[in-house]
Amino acid sequence: MADPDCPFCKIFAREIPAQEVTRTQNVLVFRDLNPQAPTHLLAIPQRHVADLGEFVRSADAAEVGALFTAASHAGREASVSGYRIVVNEGPDAGQSVAHLHLHVLAGRSLRWPPG
Ligand code: 5GP
Ligand code: ZN
């Protein structure tokens, strides 16, 4: 299930250190190495899936719900007056790690549209 070459699988397995915020059996929320806001978290499923499209094709509602619930709770916890969840999929969106992750950004006013 885990991909031996995937950095986020290794973070989930505690083989690479990360600043963890919350962890359940299936979801981990940890701090981004290169934060783009005062709070910049990543929420990942344990299961190795390359991107959101692969996730929704293969996950059941409970698995999707658990990931978004963890991201929402982390965003609300960090929020001063709001937060943003971002998912990059594919080269045009700048996805650089091929293990689905939800960015959770908070702690400053965020511009719109992004990028
Ligand atoms: P993407 O560009 O794929 O949407 O986002 C990947 C994110 O993962 C980037 O914001 C990057 O800073 C973060 N990242 C990449 N490698 C690591 C790592 O080893 N540890 C942590 N904590 N974050 C990472
Ligand atoms: Zn992975």
Side-chain angles (χ1 to χ4, degrees):
M1 204 146 96
D3 179 332
D5 299 323
C6 171
F8 286 2
C9 284
K10 289 180 181 166
I11 285 175
F12 203 104
R14 298 194 176 94
E15 292 166 9
I16 292 178
Q19 288 185 38
E20 297 191 10
V21 174
T22 56
R23 173 187 279 273
T24 66
Q25 205 179 338
N26 303 317
V27 177
L28 175 65
V29 180
F30 59 102
R31 296 193 186 281
D32 197 292
L33 208 53
N34 182 24
Q36 303 302 312
T39 297
H40 184 172
L41 311 174
L42 301 171
I44 62 169
Q46 177 182 24
R47 194 161 63 86
H48 179 85
V49 285
D51 55 32
L52 184 61
E54 186 180 327
F55 190 55
V56 299
R57 279 195 299 278
S58 59
D60 61 18
E63 197 183 359
V64 176
L67 182 62
F68 276 86
T69 297
S72 167
H73 285 170
R76 281 175 173 258
E77 188 75 18
S79 164
V80 178
S81 61
Y83 66 94
R84 181 176 291 166
I85 290 178
V86 173
V87 181
N88 295 318
E89 177 167 329
D92 273 357
Q95 182 179 4
S96 61
V97 177
H99 180 133
L100 171 63
H101 47 284
L102 276 53
H103 295 260
V104 181
L105 300 151
R108 67 170 169 84
S109 180
L110 299 163
R111 288 175 298 280
W112 190 263

